[in-house]
mmCIF file with all atom_site columns, all heavy atoms in Angstrom:
data_model
loop_
_atom_site.group_PDB
_atom_site.id
_atom_site.type_symbol
_atom_site.label_atom_id
_atom_site.label_alt_id
_atom_site.label_comp_id
_atom_site.label_asym_id
_atom_site.label_entity_id
_atom_site.label_seq_id
_atom_site.pdbx_PDB_ins_code
_atom_site.Cartn_x
_atom_site.Cartn_y
_atom_site.Cartn_z
_atom_site.occupancy
_atom_site.B_iso_or_equiv
_atom_site.pdbx_formal_charge
_atom_site.auth_seq_id
_atom_site.auth_comp_id
_atom_site.auth_asym_id
_atom_site.auth_atom_id
_atom_site.pdbx_PDB_model_num
ATOM 1   N N   . GLY A 1 215 ? 44.526 52.468 -32.389 1.00 0.00 ? 215 GLY A N   1
ATOM 2   C CA  . GLY A 1 215 ? 45.897 53.041 -32.198 1.00 0.00 ? 215 GLY A CA  1
ATOM 3   C C   . GLY A 1 215 ? 46.280 53.160 -30.792 1.00 0.00 ? 215 GLY A C   1
ATOM 4   O O   . GLY A 1 215 ? 45.900 52.323 -29.926 1.00 0.00 ? 215 GLY A O   1
ATOM 5   N N   . THR A 1 216 ? 46.988 54.266 -30.464 1.00 0.00 ? 216 THR A N   1
ATOM 6   C CA  . THR A 1 216 ? 47.582 54.409 -29.116 1.00 0.00 ? 216 THR A CA  1
ATOM 7   C C   . THR A 1 216 ? 46.985 55.661 -28.451 1.00 0.00 ? 216 THR A C   1
ATOM 8   O O   . THR A 1 216 ? 47.541 56.074 -27.405 1.00 0.00 ? 216 THR A O   1
ATOM 9   C CB  . THR A 1 216 ? 49.084 54.510 -29.185 1.00 0.00 ? 216 THR A CB  1
ATOM 10  O OG1 . THR A 1 216 ? 49.475 55.531 -30.143 1.00 0.00 ? 216 THR A OG1 1
ATOM 11  C CG2 . THR A 1 216 ? 49.649 53.183 -29.544 1.00 0.00 ? 216 THR A CG2 1
ATOM 12  N N   . ALA A 1 217 ? 45.943 56.241 -28.935 1.00 0.00 ? 217 ALA A N   1
ATOM 13  C CA  . ALA A 1 217 ? 45.274 57.415 -28.263 1.00 0.00 ? 217 ALA A CA  1
ATOM 14  C C   . ALA A 1 217 ? 44.818 56.966 -26.892 1.00 0.00 ? 217 ALA A C   1
ATOM 15  O O   . ALA A 1 217 ? 44.273 55.834 -26.729 1.00 0.00 ? 217 ALA A O   1
ATOM 16  C CB  . ALA A 1 217 ? 44.149 57.923 -29.065 1.00 0.00 ? 217 ALA A CB  1
ATOM 17  N N   . HIS A 1 218 ? 45.054 57.745 -25.872 1.00 0.00 ? 218 HIS A N   1
ATOM 18  C CA  . HIS A 1 218 ? 44.672 57.440 -24.486 1.00 0.00 ? 218 HIS A CA  1
ATOM 19  C C   . HIS A 1 218 ? 45.311 56.202 -23.960 1.00 0.00 ? 218 HIS A C   1
ATOM 20  O O   . HIS A 1 218 ? 44.765 55.540 -23.068 1.00 0.00 ? 218 HIS A O   1
ATOM 21  C CB  . HIS A 1 218 ? 43.125 57.275 -24.405 1.00 0.00 ? 218 HIS A CB  1
ATOM 22  C CG  . HIS A 1 218 ? 42.378 58.427 -24.891 1.00 0.00 ? 218 HIS A CG  1
ATOM 23  N ND1 . HIS A 1 218 ? 42.579 59.763 -24.490 1.00 0.00 ? 218 HIS A ND1 1
ATOM 24  C CD2 . HIS A 1 218 ? 41.429 58.556 -25.865 1.00 0.00 ? 218 HIS A CD2 1
ATOM 25  C CE1 . HIS A 1 218 ? 41.748 60.592 -25.122 1.00 0.00 ? 218 HIS A CE1 1
ATOM 26  N NE2 . HIS A 1 218 ? 41.071 59.860 -26.030 1.00 0.00 ? 218 HIS A NE2 1
ATOM 27  N N   . LEU A 1 219 ? 46.469 55.853 -24.481 1.00 0.00 ? 219 LEU A N   1
ATOM 28  C CA  . LEU A 1 219 ? 47.213 54.698 -23.991 1.00 0.00 ? 219 LEU A CA  1
ATOM 29  C C   . LEU A 1 219 ? 47.446 54.713 -22.499 1.00 0.00 ? 219 LEU A C   1
ATOM 30  O O   . LEU A 1 219 ? 47.385 53.675 -21.835 1.00 0.00 ? 219 LEU A O   1
ATOM 31  C CB  . LEU A 1 219 ? 48.546 54.501 -24.794 1.00 0.00 ? 219 LEU A CB  1
ATOM 32  C CG  . LEU A 1 219 ? 49.295 53.207 -24.558 1.00 0.00 ? 219 LEU A CG  1
ATOM 33  C CD1 . LEU A 1 219 ? 48.430 52.013 -25.022 1.00 0.00 ? 219 LEU A CD1 1
ATOM 34  C CD2 . LEU A 1 219 ? 50.590 53.249 -25.348 1.00 0.00 ? 219 LEU A CD2 1
ATOM 35  N N   . GLY A 1 220 ? 47.689 55.923 -21.978 1.00 0.00 ? 220 GLY A N   1
ATOM 36  C CA  . GLY A 1 220 ? 47.941 56.028 -20.514 1.00 0.00 ? 220 GLY A CA  1
ATOM 37  C C   . GLY A 1 220 ? 46.727 55.647 -19.719 1.00 0.00 ? 220 GLY A C   1
ATOM 38  O O   . GLY A 1 220 ? 46.826 55.182 -18.570 1.00 0.00 ? 220 GLY A O   1
ATOM 39  N N   . GLU A 1 221 ? 45.523 55.921 -20.270 1.00 0.00 ? 221 GLU A N   1
ATOM 40  C CA  . GLU A 1 221 ? 44.307 55.572 -19.524 1.00 0.00 ? 221 GLU A CA  1
ATOM 41  C C   . GLU A 1 221 ? 44.016 54.075 -19.620 1.00 0.00 ? 221 GLU A C   1
ATOM 42  O O   . GLU A 1 221 ? 43.543 53.443 -18.684 1.00 0.00 ? 221 GLU A O   1
ATOM 43  C CB  . GLU A 1 221 ? 43.096 56.364 -20.190 1.00 0.00 ? 221 GLU A CB  1
ATOM 44  C CG  . GLU A 1 221 ? 43.243 57.891 -20.100 1.00 0.00 ? 221 GLU A CG  1
ATOM 45  C CD  . GLU A 1 221 ? 42.806 58.359 -18.804 1.00 0.00 ? 221 GLU A CD  1
ATOM 46  O OE1 . GLU A 1 221 ? 42.280 57.608 -17.931 1.00 0.00 ? 221 GLU A OE1 1
ATOM 47  O OE2 . GLU A 1 221 ? 42.914 59.612 -18.586 1.00 0.00 ? 221 GLU A OE2 1
ATOM 48  N N   . PHE A 1 222 ? 44.260 53.461 -20.800 1.00 0.00 ? 222 PHE A N   1
ATOM 49  C CA  . PHE A 1 222 ? 43.865 52.058 -20.984 1.00 0.00 ? 222 PHE A CA  1
ATOM 50  C C   . PHE A 1 222 ? 44.979 51.118 -20.573 1.00 0.00 ? 222 PHE A C   1
ATOM 51  O O   . PHE A 1 222 ? 44.705 50.016 -20.174 1.00 0.00 ? 222 PHE A O   1
ATOM 52  C CB  . PHE A 1 222 ? 43.560 51.815 -22.483 1.00 0.00 ? 222 PHE A CB  1
ATOM 53  C CG  . PHE A 1 222 ? 42.290 52.421 -22.902 1.00 0.00 ? 222 PHE A CG  1
ATOM 54  C CD1 . PHE A 1 222 ? 42.254 53.670 -23.539 1.00 0.00 ? 222 PHE A CD1 1
ATOM 55  C CD2 . PHE A 1 222 ? 41.053 51.775 -22.662 1.00 0.00 ? 222 PHE A CD2 1
ATOM 56  C CE1 . PHE A 1 222 ? 40.977 54.165 -23.900 1.00 0.00 ? 222 PHE A CE1 1
ATOM 57  C CE2 . PHE A 1 222 ? 39.854 52.273 -23.060 1.00 0.00 ? 222 PHE A CE2 1
ATOM 58  C CZ  . PHE A 1 222 ? 39.807 53.498 -23.680 1.00 0.00 ? 222 PHE A CZ  1
ATOM 59  N N   . GLY A 1 223 ? 46.237 51.481 -20.670 1.00 0.00 ? 223 GLY A N   1
ATOM 60  C CA  . GLY A 1 223 ? 47.306 50.615 -20.290 1.00 0.00 ? 223 GLY A CA  1
ATOM 61  C C   . GLY A 1 223 ? 47.952 49.791 -21.429 1.00 0.00 ? 223 GLY A C   1
ATOM 62  O O   . GLY A 1 223 ? 49.150 49.471 -21.389 1.00 0.00 ? 223 GLY A O   1
ATOM 63  N N   . SER A 1 224 ? 47.154 49.386 -22.428 1.00 0.00 ? 224 SER A N   1
ATOM 64  C CA  . SER A 1 224 ? 47.690 48.643 -23.476 1.00 0.00 ? 224 SER A CA  1
ATOM 65  C C   . SER A 1 224 ? 46.802 48.743 -24.737 1.00 0.00 ? 224 SER A C   1
ATOM 66  O O   . SER A 1 224 ? 45.591 49.063 -24.660 1.00 0.00 ? 224 SER A O   1
ATOM 67  C CB  . SER A 1 224 ? 47.781 47.177 -23.124 1.00 0.00 ? 224 SER A CB  1
ATOM 68  O OG  . SER A 1 224 ? 46.468 46.507 -23.061 1.00 0.00 ? 224 SER A OG  1
ATOM 69  N N   . ARG A 1 225 ? 47.346 48.466 -25.909 1.00 0.00 ? 225 ARG A N   1
ATOM 70  C CA  . ARG A 1 225 ? 46.595 48.537 -27.175 1.00 0.00 ? 225 ARG A CA  1
ATOM 71  C C   . ARG A 1 225 ? 45.523 47.374 -27.177 1.00 0.00 ? 225 ARG A C   1
ATOM 72  O O   . ARG A 1 225 ? 44.493 47.597 -27.781 1.00 0.00 ? 225 ARG A O   1
ATOM 73  C CB  . ARG A 1 225 ? 47.516 48.365 -28.303 1.00 0.00 ? 225 ARG A CB  1
ATOM 74  C CG  . ARG A 1 225 ? 46.874 48.660 -29.681 1.00 0.00 ? 225 ARG A CG  1
ATOM 75  C CD  . ARG A 1 225 ? 47.910 48.871 -30.784 1.00 0.00 ? 225 ARG A CD  1
ATOM 76  N NE  . ARG A 1 225 ? 47.321 49.161 -32.059 1.00 0.00 ? 225 ARG A NE  1
ATOM 77  C CZ  . ARG A 1 225 ? 47.140 48.321 -33.081 1.00 0.00 ? 225 ARG A CZ  1
ATOM 78  N NH1 . ARG A 1 225 ? 47.602 47.089 -32.961 1.00 0.00 ? 225 ARG A NH1 1
ATOM 79  N NH2 . ARG A 1 225 ? 46.592 48.683 -34.212 1.00 0.00 ? 225 ARG A NH2 1
ATOM 80  N N   . GLU A 1 226 ? 45.786 46.315 -26.486 1.00 0.00 ? 226 GLU A N   1
ATOM 81  C CA  . GLU A 1 226 ? 44.806 45.222 -26.415 1.00 0.00 ? 226 GLU A CA  1
ATOM 82  C C   . GLU A 1 226 ? 43.564 45.668 -25.697 1.00 0.00 ? 226 GLU A C   1
ATOM 83  O O   . GLU A 1 226 ? 42.445 45.324 -26.073 1.00 0.00 ? 226 GLU A O   1
ATOM 84  C CB  . GLU A 1 226 ? 45.464 44.007 -25.729 1.00 0.00 ? 226 GLU A CB  1
ATOM 85  C CG  . GLU A 1 226 ? 46.468 43.298 -26.570 1.00 0.00 ? 226 GLU A CG  1
ATOM 86  C CD  . GLU A 1 226 ? 47.836 44.074 -26.641 1.00 0.00 ? 226 GLU A CD  1
ATOM 87  O OE1 . GLU A 1 226 ? 48.075 44.932 -25.652 1.00 0.00 ? 226 GLU A OE1 1
ATOM 88  O OE2 . GLU A 1 226 ? 48.554 43.867 -27.557 1.00 0.00 ? 226 GLU A OE2 1
ATOM 89  N N   . VAL A 1 227 ? 43.692 46.426 -24.702 1.00 0.00 ? 227 VAL A N   1
ATOM 90  C CA  . VAL A 1 227 ? 42.533 46.923 -23.897 1.00 0.00 ? 227 VAL A CA  1
ATOM 91  C C   . VAL A 1 227 ? 41.789 47.930 -24.794 1.00 0.00 ? 227 VAL A C   1
ATOM 92  O O   . VAL A 1 227 ? 40.516 47.956 -24.758 1.00 0.00 ? 227 VAL A O   1
ATOM 93  C CB  . VAL A 1 227 ? 42.971 47.510 -22.514 1.00 0.00 ? 227 VAL A CB  1
ATOM 94  C CG1 . VAL A 1 227 ? 41.724 48.092 -21.786 1.00 0.00 ? 227 VAL A CG1 1
ATOM 95  C CG2 . VAL A 1 227 ? 43.561 46.460 -21.685 1.00 0.00 ? 227 VAL A CG2 1
ATOM 96  N N   . ILE A 1 228 ? 42.511 48.764 -25.512 1.00 0.00 ? 228 ILE A N   1
ATOM 97  C CA  . ILE A 1 228 ? 41.905 49.760 -26.403 1.00 0.00 ? 228 ILE A CA  1
ATOM 98  C C   . ILE A 1 228 ? 41.046 48.977 -27.461 1.00 0.00 ? 228 ILE A C   1
ATOM 99  O O   . ILE A 1 228 ? 39.936 49.325 -27.703 1.00 0.00 ? 228 ILE A O   1
ATOM 100 C CB  . ILE A 1 228 ? 42.908 50.625 -27.095 1.00 0.00 ? 228 ILE A CB  1
ATOM 101 C CG1 . ILE A 1 228 ? 43.684 51.520 -26.104 1.00 0.00 ? 228 ILE A CG1 1
ATOM 102 C CG2 . ILE A 1 228 ? 42.266 51.471 -28.168 1.00 0.00 ? 228 ILE A CG2 1
ATOM 103 C CD1 . ILE A 1 228 ? 44.824 52.242 -26.618 1.00 0.00 ? 228 ILE A CD1 1
ATOM 104 N N   . ALA A 1 229 ? 41.639 47.876 -27.977 1.00 0.00 ? 229 ALA A N   1
ATOM 105 C CA  . ALA A 1 229 ? 40.881 47.096 -29.012 1.00 0.00 ? 229 ALA A CA  1
ATOM 106 C C   . ALA A 1 229 ? 39.630 46.478 -28.463 1.00 0.00 ? 229 ALA A C   1
ATOM 107 O O   . ALA A 1 229 ? 38.564 46.587 -29.057 1.00 0.00 ? 229 ALA A O   1
ATOM 108 C CB  . ALA A 1 229 ? 41.811 46.023 -29.529 1.00 0.00 ? 229 ALA A CB  1
ATOM 109 N N   . LYS A 1 230 ? 39.703 45.952 -27.237 1.00 0.00 ? 230 LYS A N   1
ATOM 110 C CA  . LYS A 1 230 ? 38.507 45.370 -26.644 1.00 0.00 ? 230 LYS A CA  1
ATOM 111 C C   . LYS A 1 230 ? 37.444 46.453 -26.405 1.00 0.00 ? 230 LYS A C   1
ATOM 112 O O   . LYS A 1 230 ? 36.268 46.180 -26.547 1.00 0.00 ? 230 LYS A O   1
ATOM 113 C CB  . LYS A 1 230 ? 38.864 44.709 -25.316 1.00 0.00 ? 230 LYS A CB  1
ATOM 114 C CG  . LYS A 1 230 ? 39.624 43.396 -25.502 1.00 0.00 ? 230 LYS A CG  1
ATOM 115 C CD  . LYS A 1 230 ? 39.991 42.758 -24.165 1.00 0.00 ? 230 LYS A CD  1
ATOM 116 C CE  . LYS A 1 230 ? 40.776 41.500 -24.353 1.00 0.00 ? 230 LYS A CE  1
ATOM 117 N NZ  . LYS A 1 230 ? 41.084 40.848 -23.023 1.00 0.00 ? 230 LYS A NZ  1
ATOM 118 N N   . THR A 1 231 ? 37.908 47.626 -26.065 1.00 0.00 ? 231 THR A N   1
ATOM 119 C CA  . THR A 1 231 ? 36.912 48.741 -25.781 1.00 0.00 ? 231 THR A CA  1
ATOM 120 C C   . THR A 1 231 ? 36.277 49.184 -27.095 1.00 0.00 ? 231 THR A C   1
ATOM 121 O O   . THR A 1 231 ? 35.093 49.399 -27.134 1.00 0.00 ? 231 THR A O   1
ATOM 122 C CB  . THR A 1 231 ? 37.618 49.893 -25.092 1.00 0.00 ? 231 THR A CB  1
ATOM 123 O OG1 . THR A 1 231 ? 38.230 49.439 -23.897 1.00 0.00 ? 231 THR A OG1 1
ATOM 124 C CG2 . THR A 1 231 ? 36.644 50.991 -24.776 1.00 0.00 ? 231 THR A CG2 1
#
Side-chain angles (χ1 to χ4, degrees):
T216 52
H218 307 304
L219 189 59
E221 299 277 355
F222 287 97
S224 72
R225 191 166 181 256
E226 290 71 26
V227 176
I228 295 173
K230 288 181 180 179
T231 304

